[in-house]
């Protein structure tokens, strides 16, 4: 079985937990291939830990990158719908 190439949009409390779980091997059929957050501070933290994984500052850019089979949306709930709609369009 091929691994699912996953992008995570949002690197706050929930997003960083999902990243950590994936990187610790808790989802063996998932490969983290990209992460996105609008915060420069979170970008610095992420790249300090995982410099090998591409980081985007815009969810749509991550989705259009071609790096992911699927995305996990981990942003405040009121921002879920526009990102989910965009993901389904692509």
């Amino acid at each position: 079985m091929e691994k699912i190439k996953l992008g995570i949009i949002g690197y706050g409390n929930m997003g960083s937990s999902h990243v950590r779980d994936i990187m610790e091997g808790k989802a063996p059929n998932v490969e983290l291939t990209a992460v996105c957050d609008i915060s420069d501070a979170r970008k610095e933290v992420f790249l300090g830990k995982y410099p090998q994984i591409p980081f985007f500052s815009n969810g749509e850019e991550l989705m259009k990158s071609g790096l992911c089979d699927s995305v996990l949306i981990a942003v405040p709930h009121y921002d879920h719908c526009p990102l989910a709609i965009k993901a389904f369009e692509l």
Side-chain angles (χ1 to χ4, degrees):
M1 176 179 193
E2 286 187 38
K3 289 187 175 188
I4 294 170
K5 296 177 183 174
L6 180 69
I8 295 180
I9 300 174
Y11 189 65
N13 291 331
M14 292 307 301
S16 62
S17 293
H18 292 305
V19 167
R20 185 177 55 251
D21 288 346
I22 292 166
M23 299 307 286
E24 289 177 354
K26 294 180 181 178
N29 294 323
V30 176
E31 177 185 0
L32 183 63
T33 56
V35 170
C36 168
D37 199 286
I38 61 173
S39 166
D40 289 335
R42 290 182 183 151
K43 177 181 180 177
E44 288 181 33
V45 170
F46 177 82
L47 291 175
K49 293 179 180 181
Y50 311 106
Q52 74 280 17
I53 299 173
F55 191 95
F56 295 84
S57 297
N58 177 291
E60 189 170 342
E61 289 176 8
L62 178 148
M63 289 184 253
K64 288 183 175 181
S65 73
L67 296 172
C68 309
D69 299 324
S70 182
V71 293
L72 185 154
I73 299 171
V75 299
H77 66 276
Y78 47 81
D79 286 330
H80 282 201
C81 287
L83 289 166
I85 290 167
K86 183 54 70 177
F88 284 124
E89 289 175 351
L90 300 173

